[in-house]
Coordinates of all heavy atoms in Angstrom, one line a residue:
Y412 N -49.6 4.0 -0.1 CA -49.6 4.4 1.3 C -50.8 5.3 1.5 O -51.1 6.2 0.7 CB -48.3 5.1 1.6 CG -47.1 4.2 1.5 CD1 -46.3 4.2 0.4 CD2 -46.8 3.4 2.6 CE1 -45.2 3.4 0.3 CE2 -45.7 2.6 2.5 CZ -44.9 2.6 1.4 OH -43.8 1.8 1.3
V413 N -51.4 5.1 2.6 CA -52.6 6.0 3.0 C -52.0 7.1 3.9 O -51.3 6.8 4.9 CB -53.7 5.2 3.7 CG1 -54.8 6.1 4.2 CG2 -54.2 4.1 2.8
V414 N -52.4 8.3 3.6 CA -51.9 9.4 4.4 C -53.1 9.9 5.3 O -54.2 10.1 4.8 CB -51.5 10.6 3.4 CG1 -51.1 11.8 4.3 CG2 -50.4 10.2 2.5
A415 N -52.8 10.0 6.5 CA -53.8 10.4 7.5 C -54.1 11.8 7.3 O -53.2 12.6 6.9 CB -53.3 10.1 8.9
P416 N -55.4 12.2 7.5 CA -55.7 13.6 7.3 C -55.0 14.5 8.4 O -54.8 14.0 9.5 CB -57.2 13.6 7.5 CG -57.6 12.4 8.2 CD -56.5 11.4 7.9
L417 N -54.8 15.7 8.0 CA -54.2 16.6 8.9 C -55.2 16.9 10.0 O -56.4 17.2 9.8 CB -53.8 18.0 8.2 CG -52.7 17.9 7.3 CD1 -52.4 19.2 6.6 CD2 -51.4 17.4 7.9
T418 N -54.7 16.9 11.2 CA -55.6 17.2 12.4 C -55.1 18.5 13.0 O -53.9 18.9 12.8 CB -55.6 16.1 13.4 OG1 -54.2 16.0 13.9 CG2 -56.0 14.8 12.8
D419 N -55.9 19.2 13.8 CA -55.5 20.4 14.5 C -54.4 20.1 15.5 O -53.5 20.9 15.7 CB -56.7 21.0 15.3 CG -57.8 21.6 14.3 OD1 -57.4 21.9 13.2 OD2 -58.9 21.7 14.8
E420 N -54.4 18.9 16.1 CA -53.4 18.5 17.0 C -52.0 18.4 16.3 O -51.0 18.9 16.8 CB -53.7 17.1 17.7 CG -52.7 16.7 18.7 CD -53.0 15.3 19.3 OE1 -54.2 14.8 19.1 OE2 -52.1 14.7 19.9
Y421 N -52.1 17.7 15.1 CA -50.8 17.6 14.4 C -50.3 18.9 14.0 O -49.1 19.2 14.1 CB -51.1 16.7 13.1 CG -49.9 16.7 12.2 CD1 -48.8 15.9 12.5 CD2 -49.8 17.5 11.1 CE1 -47.7 15.9 11.7 CE2 -48.7 17.5 10.2 CZ -47.6 16.7 10.5 OH -46.5 16.7 9.7
T422 N -51.1 19.8 13.4 CA -50.6 21.1 13.0 C -50.1 22.0 14.2 O -49.1 22.7 14.1 CB -51.7 21.9 12.2 OG1 -52.8 22.0 13.0 CG2 -52.0 21.2 10.9
A423 N -50.7 21.8 15.4 CA -50.3 22.5 16.5 C -48.9 22.0 17.0 O -48.0 22.8 17.3 CB -51.3 22.4 17.7
E424 N -48.7 20.7 17.0 CA -47.4 20.1 17.3 C -46.4 20.5 16.3 O -45.2 20.8 16.7 CB -47.6 18.6 17.3 CG -48.3 18.0 18.5 CD -48.5 16.5 18.4 OE1 -47.9 15.9 17.5 OE2 -49.2 16.0 19.3
L425 N -46.7 20.6 15.0 CA -45.7 21.0 14.0 C -45.3 22.4 14.2 O -44.2 22.8 14.1 CB -46.3 20.8 12.6 CG -45.4 21.0 11.5 CD1 -44.2 20.2 11.5 CD2 -46.2 20.8 10.1
K426 N -46.3 23.3 14.5 CA -46.0 24.7 14.8 C -45.1 24.8 16.0 O -44.1 25.6 15.9 CB -47.3 25.5 15.0 CG -47.0 27.0 15.2 CD -48.3 27.8 15.3 CE -48.0 29.3 15.5 NZ -46.8 29.8 15.8
T427 N -45.4 24.1 17.0 CA -44.5 24.2 18.2 C -43.1 23.7 17.9 O -42.1 24.3 18.3 CB -45.1 23.3 19.4 OG1 -46.4 23.8 19.7 CG2 -44.2 23.3 20.6
F428 N -43.0 22.6 17.2 CA -41.7 22.1 16.8 C -40.9 23.1 16.0 O -39.8 23.4 16.2 CB -41.9 20.8 15.9 CG -40.6 20.2 15.4 CD1 -39.8 19.5 16.2 CD2 -40.3 20.5 14.1 CE1 -38.6 19.0 15.7 CE2 -39.1 20.0 13.5 CZ -38.3 19.2 14.3
N429 N -41.6 23.7 15.0 CA -40.9 24.7 14.2 C -40.5 26.0 15.0 O -39.5 26.5 14.7 CB -41.8 25.1 13.0 CG -41.8 24.0 11.9 OD1 -40.9 23.2 11.8 ND2 -42.9 23.9 11.2
D430 N -41.4 26.4 15.9 CA -41.1 27.6 16.6 C -39.9 27.4 17.6 O -39.2 28.3 17.9 CB -42.4 28.0 17.5 CG -43.5 28.6 16.6 OD1 -43.2 28.9 15.4 OD2 -44.6 28.7 17.1
E431 N -39.8 26.2 18.1 CA -38.7 25.9 19.0 C -37.4 25.4 18.3 O -36.4 25.2 19.0 CB -39.2 24.8 20.0 CG -40.3 25.3 20.9 CD -40.8 24.2 21.8 OE1 -40.4 23.1 21.7 OE2 -41.7 24.5 22.6
A432 N -37.4 25.3 17.0 CA -36.2 24.8 16.3 C -35.1 25.8 16.4 O -35.3 27.0 16.3 CB -36.6 24.5 14.9
A433 N -33.9 25.3 16.5 CA -32.7 26.2 16.5 C -32.4 26.6 15.1 O -32.5 25.8 14.2 CB -31.5 25.5 17.1
K434 N -32.1 27.9 14.9 CA -31.8 28.4 13.5 C -30.3 28.3 13.4 O -29.5 28.6 14.3 CB -32.3 29.8 13.3 CG -33.8 29.9 13.2 CD -34.1 31.4 12.9 CE -35.6 31.5 12.7 NZ -36.1 32.9 12.6
A435 N -29.8 28.0 12.2 CA -28.4 28.0 11.9 C -27.9 29.4 12.0 O -28.6 30.4 11.7 CB -28.1 27.4 10.5
K436 N -26.6 29.6 12.4 CA -26.1 30.9 12.5 C -26.0 31.6 11.2 O -26.1 32.8 11.1 CB -24.6 30.8 13.1 CG -24.6 30.4 14.6 CD -23.2 30.3 15.1 CE -23.2 29.7 16.5 NZ -21.8 29.6 17.0
S437 N -26.0 30.8 10.1 CA -25.9 31.4 8.8 C -27.3 31.7 8.2 O -27.4 32.1 7.0 CB -25.1 30.5 7.9 OG -25.7 29.2 7.8
F438 N -28.3 31.4 9.0 CA -29.7 31.7 8.5 C -29.8 33.1 8.0 O -29.5 34.1 8.6 CB -30.7 31.4 9.6 CG -32.2 31.5 9.1 CD1 -32.7 30.5 8.3 CD2 -32.9 32.6 9.4 CE1 -34.0 30.6 7.9 CE2 -34.2 32.8 9.0 CZ -34.8 31.7 8.2
G439 N -30.3 33.3 6.7 CA -30.4 34.6 6.1 C -29.3 35.0 5.3 O -29.4 36.0 4.5
Y440 N -28.2 34.3 5.3 CA -27.0 34.6 4.5 C -27.2 34.3 3.1 O -27.8 33.3 2.7 CB -25.8 33.8 5.0 CG -24.6 33.9 4.1 CD1 -23.9 35.1 3.9 CD2 -24.2 32.8 3.3 CE1 -22.8 35.2 3.1 CE2 -23.2 32.9 2.4 CZ -22.5 34.1 2.3 OH -21.4 34.1 1.4
Q441 N -26.8 35.2 2.2 CA -26.9 34.9 0.7 C -25.6 35.4 0.1 O -25.2 36.5 0.3 CB -28.1 35.7 0.1 CG -28.3 35.3 -1.3 CD -29.6 35.9 -1.8 OE1 -30.3 36.6 -1.1 NE2 -29.8 35.7 -3.1
F442 N -25.0 34.5 -0.6 CA -23.7 34.8 -1.3 C -23.9 35.7 -2.5 O -24.8 35.5 -3.3 CB -23.1 33.4 -1.8 CG -21.8 33.6 -2.6 CD1 -20.8 34.3 -2.1 CD2 -21.7 33.0 -3.8 CE1 -19.6 34.4 -2.8 CE2 -20.5 33.1 -4.6 CZ -19.5 33.8 -4.1
D443 N -23.1 36.8 -2.5 CA -23.2 37.7 -3.7 C -22.1 37.3 -4.6 O -20.9 37.6 -4.4 CB -23.0 39.1 -3.2 CG -22.9 40.2 -4.3 OD1 -23.3 39.8 -5.5 OD2 -22.6 41.3 -4.0
A444 N -22.5 36.6 -5.7 CA -21.5 36.1 -6.7 C -21.3 37.0 -7.8 O -20.7 36.7 -8.8 CB -22.0 34.7 -7.2
S445 N -21.8 38.3 -7.7 CA -21.7 39.2 -8.9 C -20.3 39.4 -9.4 O -20.0 39.6 -10.5 CB -22.4 40.5 -8.5 OG -21.7 41.1 -7.4
E446 N -19.3 39.4 -8.4 CA -17.9 39.7 -8.9 C -17.2 38.4 -9.4 O -16.0 38.4 -9.7 CB -17.1 40.4 -7.8 CG -16.8 39.5 -6.6 CD -16.0 40.3 -5.5 OE1 -16.6 41.1 -4.8 OE2 -14.8 40.1 -5.5
Y447 N -17.9 37.3 -9.4 CA -17.4 36.0 -9.8 C -18.1 35.5 -11.1 O -18.1 34.3 -11.3 CB -17.5 35.0 -8.7 CG -16.8 35.4 -7.4 CD1 -17.5 36.0 -6.4 CD2 -15.4 35.3 -7.3 CE1 -16.9 36.4 -5.2 CE2 -14.8 35.7 -6.1 CZ -15.5 36.3 -5.1 OH -14.9 36.7 -4.0
S448 N -18.6 36.3 -11.9 CA -19.3 35.9 -13.1 C -18.5 35.1 -14.1 O -18.9 34.2 -14.7 CB -20.0 37.1 -13.8 OG -19.0 38.0 -14.2
T449 N -17.2 35.5 -14.2 CA -16.3 34.8 -15.1 C -16.1 33.4 -14.7 O -16.2 32.4 -15.4 CB -15.0 35.5 -15.3 OG1 -15.2 36.8 -15.7 CG2 -14.1 34.8 -16.2
E450 N -15.8 33.2 -13.4 CA -15.6 31.9 -12.8 C -16.9 31.1 -12.8 O -16.8 29.9 -13.1 CB -15.1 32.0 -11.3 CG -13.7 32.6 -11.2 CD -13.6 34.1 -11.1 OE1 -14.7 34.8 -11.3 OE2 -12.6 34.6 -10.8
A451 N -18.0 31.7 -12.5 CA -19.3 31.0 -12.6 C -19.6 30.4 -13.9 O -20.0 29.3 -14.1 CB -20.4 31.9 -12.1
A452 N -19.3 31.2 -15.0 CA -19.5 30.7 -16.3 C -18.6 29.5 -16.7 O -19.0 28.5 -17.3 CB -19.3 31.9 -17.3
A453 N -17.3 29.7 -16.3 CA -16.4 28.6 -16.5 C -16.8 27.3 -15.7 O -16.7 26.2 -16.3 CB -15.0 29.0 -16.2
I454 N -17.2 27.5 -14.5 CA -17.6 26.3 -13.7 C -18.8 25.7 -14.3 O -18.9 24.4 -14.4 CB -17.8 26.8 -12.2 CG1 -16.5 27.2 -11.5 CG2 -18.6 25.7 -11.4 CD1 -16.7 28.0 -10.3
S455 N -19.8 26.5 -14.7 CA -21.0 25.9 -15.3 C -20.6 25.1 -16.6 O -21.2 24.1 -16.8 CB -21.9 27.1 -15.7 OG -23.1 26.6 -16.3
S456 N -19.7 25.6 -17.4 CA -19.3 24.9 -18.6 C -18.7 23.6 -18.3 O -18.9 22.6 -18.9 CB -18.3 25.8 -19.4 OG -18.9 26.9 -19.9
V457 N -17.8 23.6 -17.3 CA -17.2 22.3 -16.8 C -18.2 21.3 -16.4 O -18.2 20.1 -16.8 CB -16.1 22.5 -15.7 CG1 -15.7 21.2 -15.1 CG2 -14.9 23.3 -16.3
L458 N -19.1 21.7 -15.6 CA -20.2 20.8 -15.1 C -21.1 20.3 -16.2 O -21.4 19.1 -16.2 CB -21.0 21.5 -14.0 CG -20.3 21.9 -12.7 CD1 -21.2 22.7 -11.7 CD2 -19.7 20.6 -12.0
T459 N -21.4 21.2 -17.1 CA -22.3 20.8 -18.2 C -21.6 19.8 -19.1 O -22.2 18.9 -19.6 CB -22.7 22.0 -19.1 OG1 -23.4 23.0 -18.2 CG2 -23.5 21.7 -20.3
A460 N -20.3 19.9 -19.3 CA -19.5 19.0 -20.1 C -19.2 17.7 -19.5 O -19.3 16.6 -20.2 CB -18.2 19.7 -20.6
E461 N -19.0 17.7 -18.2 CA -18.5 16.5 -17.6 C -19.4 15.7 -16.7 O -19.3 14.5 -16.6 CB -17.2 16.8 -16.8 CG -16.1 17.4 -17.7 CD -14.8 17.6 -16.9 OE1 -14.5 17.0 -15.9 OE2 -14.1 18.6 -17.3
L462 N -20.4 16.4 -16.0 CA -21.2 15.7 -15.1 C -22.2 14.7 -15.7 O -22.4 13.6 -15.1 CB -22.0 16.7 -14.3 CG -21.4 17.1 -12.9 CD1 -22.4 18.0 -12.1 CD2 -20.9 15.9 -12.1
P463 N -22.8 15.0 -16.9 CA -23.8 14.0 -17.4 C -23.2 12.6 -17.6 O -23.8 11.6 -17.2 CB -24.2 14.6 -18.7 CG -24.0 16.1 -18.5 CD -22.8 16.2 -17.7
Q464 N -22.0 12.5 -18.1 CA -21.4 11.2 -18.4 C -21.0 10.5 -17.0 O -21.2 9.3 -16.8 CB -20.1 11.3 -19.2 CG -20.3 11.7 -20.6 CD -20.5 13.3 -20.8 OE1 -20.3 14.0 -19.8 NE2 -20.9 13.7 -21.9
L465 N -20.6 11.3 -16.1 CA -20.2 10.8 -14.8 C -21.4 10.3 -14.0 O -21.5 9.2 -13.5 CB -19.5 11.8 -14.0 CG -18.8 11.4 -12.6 CD1 -17.8 10.3 -12.9 CD2 -18.2 12.6 -12.0
N466 N -22.5 11.1 -14.0 CA -23.7 10.7 -13.4 C -24.4 9.5 -14.0 O -25.0 8.7 -13.3 CB -24.7 11.9 -13.4 CG -24.4 13.0 -12.4 OD1 -23.7 12.7 -11.4 ND2 -24.9 14.2 -12.6
A467 N -24.2 9.3 -15.3 CA -24.9 8.2 -16.0 C -24.0 7.0 -15.9 O -24.4 5.9 -16.4 CB -25.1 8.6 -17.4
G468 N -22.8 7.1 -15.4 CA -21.9 5.9 -15.3 C -21.3 5.6 -16.6 O -21.0 4.4 -16.9
Q469 N -21.1 6.6 -17.5 CA -20.6 6.3 -18.8 C -19.1 6.6 -18.9 O -18.6 6.9 -20.0 CB -21.3 7.2 -19.9 CG -22.8 6.8 -20.0 CD -23.5 7.7 -20.9 OE1 -23.2 8.9 -21.1 NE2 -24.6 7.2 -21.6
V470 N -18.4 6.5 -17.8 CA -17.0 6.6 -17.9 C -16.3 5.3 -17.5 O -16.9 4.5 -16.7 CB -16.5 7.7 -16.9 CG1 -17.0 9.1 -17.3 CG2 -16.9 7.5 -15.5
E471 N -15.2 5.0 -18.1 CA -14.5 3.8 -17.8 C -13.9 3.7 -16.4 O -13.9 2.7 -15.7 CB -13.4 3.5 -18.9 CG -14.0 3.2 -20.2 CD -13.0 2.8 -21.2 OE1 -11.9 2.3 -20.8 OE2 -13.2 3.1 -22.4
D472 N -13.3 4.8 -16.0 CA -12.5 4.9 -14.8 C -13.1 6.1 -14.0 O -12.8 7.2 -14.2 CB -11.1 5.1 -15.0 CG -10.2 5.1 -13.7 OD1 -10.8 5.1 -12.6 OD2 -9.0 5.1 -13.9
V473 N -14.0 5.7 -13.0 CA -14.7 6.8 -12.2 C -13.7 7.6 -11.4 O -13.9 8.9 -11.4 CB -15.7 6.1 -11.3 CG1 -16.4 7.1 -10.3 CG2 -16.8 5.4 -12.1
D474 N -12.7 7.0 -10.8 CA -11.8 7.8 -10.0 C -11.0 8.8 -10.9 O -10.9 9.9 -10.5 CB -10.8 6.9 -9.3 CG -11.4 6.0 -8.2 OD1 -12.5 6.5 -7.6 OD2 -10.9 4.9 -7.9
A475 N -10.6 8.4 -12.1 CA -9.9 9.3 -13.0 C -10.9 10.4 -13.4 O -10.4 11.6 -13.6 CB -9.4 8.5 -14.2
A476 N -12.1 10.1 -13.7 CA -13.1 11.1 -14.1 C -13.4 12.1 -13.0 O -13.5 13.3 -13.3 CB -14.4 10.4 -14.6
V477 N -13.5 11.6 -11.8 CA -13.7 12.5 -10.7 C -12.5 13.4 -10.5 O -12.6 14.7 -10.3 CB -14.0 11.8 -9.4 CG1 -14.0 12.7 -8.2 CG2 -15.4 11.1 -9.5
D478 N -11.3 12.8 -10.6 CA -10.0 13.6 -10.5 C -10.0 14.7 -11.5 O -9.6 15.8 -11.3 CB -8.8 12.7 -10.5 CG -8.7 11.9 -9.3 OD1 -9.3 12.2 -8.2 OD2 -7.9 10.9 -9.3
Q479 N -10.4 14.3 -12.8 CA -10.3 15.3 -13.9 C -11.4 16.4 -13.7 O -11.1 17.6 -13.9 CB -10.6 14.6 -15.2 CG -10.5 15.5 -16.4 CD -9.1 16.0 -16.6 OE1 -8.2 15.2 -16.6 NE2 -9.0 17.3 -16.7
L480 N -12.5 16.0 -13.2 CA -13.6 17.0 -12.9 C -13.1 18.0 -11.8 O -13.2 19.2 -12.0 CB -14.9 16.3 -12.4 CG -16.0 17.2 -11.9 CD1 -16.5 18.1 -13.1 CD2 -17.1 16.4 -11.3
V481 N -12.5 17.5 -10.8 CA -12.0 18.4 -9.7 C -10.9 19.3 -10.3 O -10.9 20.5 -10.0 CB -11.4 17.6 -8.5 CG1 -10.7 18.4 -7.5 CG2 -12.6 16.8 -7.8
A482 N -10.0 18.8 -11.1 CA -8.9 19.6 -11.6 C -9.5 20.6 -12.6 O -9.0 21.8 -12.5 CB -7.9 18.7 -12.4
D483 N -10.5 20.3 -13.4 CA -11.1 21.2 -14.3 C -11.8 22.3 -13.5 O -11.8 23.5 -14.0 CB -12.0 20.5 -15.3 CG -11.2 19.7 -16.3 OD1 -9.9 19.9 -16.4 OD2 -11.8 18.8 -17.0
L484 N -12.5 21.9 -12.5 CA -13.2 22.9 -11.6 C -12.2 23.9 -11.0 O -12.5 25.1 -10.9 CB -14.1 22.3 -10.6 CG -15.3 21.6 -11.1 CD1 -16.0 20.8 -10.0 CD2 -16.3 22.6 -11.7
Q485 N -11.1 23.4 -10.6 CA -10.1 24.2 -10.0 C -9.5 25.2 -11.0 O -9.3 26.4 -10.7 CB -9.0 23.4 -9.3 CG -9.5 22.7 -8.0 CD -8.5 21.8 -7.4 OE1 -7.7 21.1 -8.2 NE2 -8.5 21.6 -6.1
D486 N -9.3 24.7 -12.2 CA -8.8 25.5 -13.3 C -9.8 26.6 -13.7 O -9.5 27.7 -14.1 CB -8.5 24.7 -14.6 CG -7.3 23.8 -14.4 OD1 -6.5 24.0 -13.5 OD2 -7.1 22.9 -15.2
A487 N -11.1 26.3 -13.5 CA -12.2 27.2 -13.8 C -12.3 28.3 -12.7 O -13.1 29.3 -12.9 CB -13.5 26.5 -14.0
G488 N -11.7 28.1 -11.6 CA -11.8 29.1 -10.5 C -12.7 28.8 -9.4 O -13.0 29.7 -8.6
I489 N -13.0 27.5 -9.2 CA -13.9 27.2 -8.1 C -13.3 27.5 -6.7 O -14.0 27.9 -5.8 CB -14.4 25.8 -8.1 CG1 -15.7 25.6 -7.3 CG2 -13.3 24.8 -7.7 CD1 -16.5 24.4 -7.6
D490 N -12.0 27.4 -6.6 CA -11.4 27.7 -5.3 C -11.5 29.2 -5.0 O -11.7 29.6 -3.8 CB -9.9 27.3 -5.3 CG -9.8 25.8 -5.3 OD1 -10.7 25.1 -4.8 OD2 -8.7 25.3 -5.8
T491 N -11.4 30.1 -6.0 CA -11.6 31.5 -5.8 C -13.0 31.8 -5.3 O -13.2 32.6 -4.4 CB -11.3 32.2 -7.1 OG1 -10.0 31.9 -7.5 CG2 -11.5 33.7 -7.0
V492 N -14.0 31.1 -5.9 CA -15.4 31.4 -5.6 C -15.7 30.9 -4.2 O -16.3 31.5 -3.4 CB -16.4 30.7 -6.6 CG1 -17.8 30.8 -6.1 CG2 -16.2 31.2 -8.0
I493 N -15.1 29.7 -3.8 CA -15.3 29.2 -2.5 C -14.7 30.1 -1.4 O -15.3 30.4 -0.4 CB -14.7 27.8 -2.3 CG1 -15.5 26.8 -3.2 CG2 -14.6 27.3 -0.9 CD1 -14.9 25.4 -3.3
A494 N -13.5 30.6 -1.7 CA -12.8 31.6 -0.8 C -13.6 32.9 -0.7 O -13.8 33.4 0.5 CB -11.4 31.9 -1.3
G495 N -14.2 33.4 -1.8 CA -15.0 34.6 -1.7 C -16.3 34.3 -0.9 O -16.7 35.2 -0.1
N496 N -16.9 33.2 -1.1 CA -18.1 32.8 -0.3 C -17.7 32.7 1.2 O -18.5 33.3 2.0 CB -18.6 31.5 -0.8 CG -20.0 31.2 -0.2 OD1 -20.5 31.9 0.5 ND2 -20.5 30.0 -0.6
Q497 N -16.6 32.1 1.5 CA -16.2 32.0 2.9 C -16.0 33.3 3.5 O -16.3 33.6 4.7 CB -15.0 31.1 3.0 CG -14.6 30.8 4.5 CD -15.7 30.0 5.2 OE1 -16.0 28.9 4.7 NE2 -16.2 30.5 6.3
E498 N -15.3 34.2 2.8 CA -15.0 35.6 3.2 C -16.3 36.3 3.5 O -16.5 37.0 4.6 CB -14.2 36.3 2.2 CG -13.8 37.7 2.6 CD -13.0 38.4 1.5 OE1 -12.1 37.7 0.9 OE2 -13.2 39.6 1.3
Q499 N -17.3 36.2 2.6 CA -18.6 36.9 2.8 C -19.3 36.3 4.0 O -20.0 37.0 4.8 CB -19.4 36.8 1.6 CG -18.9 37.7 0.4 CD -19.8 37.6 -0.8 OE1 -21.0 37.3 -0.7 NE2 -19.2 37.8 -2.0
L500 N -19.3 35.0 4.1 CA -20.0 34.3 5.2 C -19.3 34.7 6.6 O -20.1 35.0 7.5 CB -19.9 32.8 5.1 CG -20.5 32.0 6.2 CD1 -22.0 32.3 6.4 CD2 -20.4 30.5 6.0
D501 N -18.0 34.8 6.6 CA -17.3 35.2 7.9 C -17.8 36.6 8.3 O -18.0 36.9 9.5 CB -15.8 35.1 7.7 CG -15.3 33.6 7.6 OD1 -16.1 32.7 8.0 OD2 -14.2 33.4 7.2
A502 N -17.8 37.5 7.3 CA -18.2 38.9 7.6 C -19.7 38.9 8.0 O -20.0 39.6 9.0 CB -18.1 39.7 6.3
Y503 N -20.5 38.1 7.4 CA -22.0 38.0 7.9 C -22.1 37.6 9.3 O -22.8 38.1 10.1 CB -22.7 37.1 6.9 CG -24.2 36.9 7.3 CD1 -25.2 37.8 6.9 CD2 -24.5 35.8 8.1 CE1 -26.5 37.6 7.3 CE2 -25.9 35.6 8.4 CZ -26.8 36.5 8.0 OH -28.1 36.3 8.4
L504 N -21.3 36.5 9.6 CA -21.4 35.9 11.0 C -20.8 36.9 12.0 O -21.3 36.9 13.1 CB -20.7 34.6 11.0 CG -21.3 33.5 10.2 CD1 -20.4 32.2 10.2 CD2 -22.7 33.1 10.7
A505 N -19.8 37.7 11.6 CA -19.2 38.6 12.6 C -20.2 39.7 12.9 O -20.1 40.3 14.0 CB -18.0 39.2 11.9
N506 N -21.2 40.0 12.0 CA -22.1 41.1 12.3 C -23.4 40.5 12.9 O -24.4 41.3 13.1 CB -22.5 41.8 11.0 CG -21.3 42.6 10.5 OD1 -20.6 43.2 11.3 ND2 -21.1 42.6 9.2
Q507 N -23.5 39.3 13.3 CA -24.7 38.7 13.9 C -24.7 38.9 15.3 O -23.8 38.9 16.0 CB -24.9 37.2 13.5 CG -25.1 37.0 12.0 CD -26.3 37.7 11.5 OE1 -27.4 37.5 12.0 NE2 -26.1 38.5 10.5

């Protein structure tokens, strides 16, 4: 593919587009996961152990593998992390 050179007109249109773009209400939000280090380590271990085989299609029953992954993530505390993230996001949005 041939890429057309950038022109002043194109960059001006892009700047206008970006300046007029609506920002998400959550723009600037960052989750503080410091109190979830135990859960984060357990979640990471589950993903490291189970995702490569699933992504590579090396499982016999995909549905069962996905169900097992979800169950293991829940056992690792992912629901706690999600709830903590939602709580922090709600507080952030309330202060906007």
Side-chain angles (χ1 to χ4, degrees):
Y412 296 97
V413 176
V414 178
L417 292 179
T418 62
D419 290 340
E420 180 182 347
Y421 172 78
T422 55
E424 288 176 7
L425 184 60
K426 181 175 180 350
T427 300
F428 175 80
N429 287 333
D430 289 345
E431 294 175 358
K434 289 184 182 174
K436 292 178 183 178
S437 61
F438 183 77
Y440 168 72
Q441 185 172 359
F442 176 53
D443 177 10
S445 59
E446 67 180 81
Y447 302 99
S448 59
T449 302
E450 291 88 351
I454 291 166
S455 180
S456 293
V457 169
L458 294 175
T459 299
E461 298 183 30
L462 268 186
Q464 294 83 8
L465 188 59
N466 285 337
Q469 296 177 331
V470 295
E471 289 184 30
D472 185 349
V473 174
D474 291 332
V477 169
D478 290 343
Q479 185 63 52
L480 174 63
V481 169
D483 291 344
L484 287 171
Q485 289 173 330
D486 290 344
I489 199 164
D490 291 331
T491 301
V492 175
I493 291 170
N496 189 1
Q497 187 65 56
E498 183 179 320
Q499 289 180 27
L500 177 59
D501 291 343
Y503 176 84
L504 294 174
N506 291 321
Q507 294 302 305

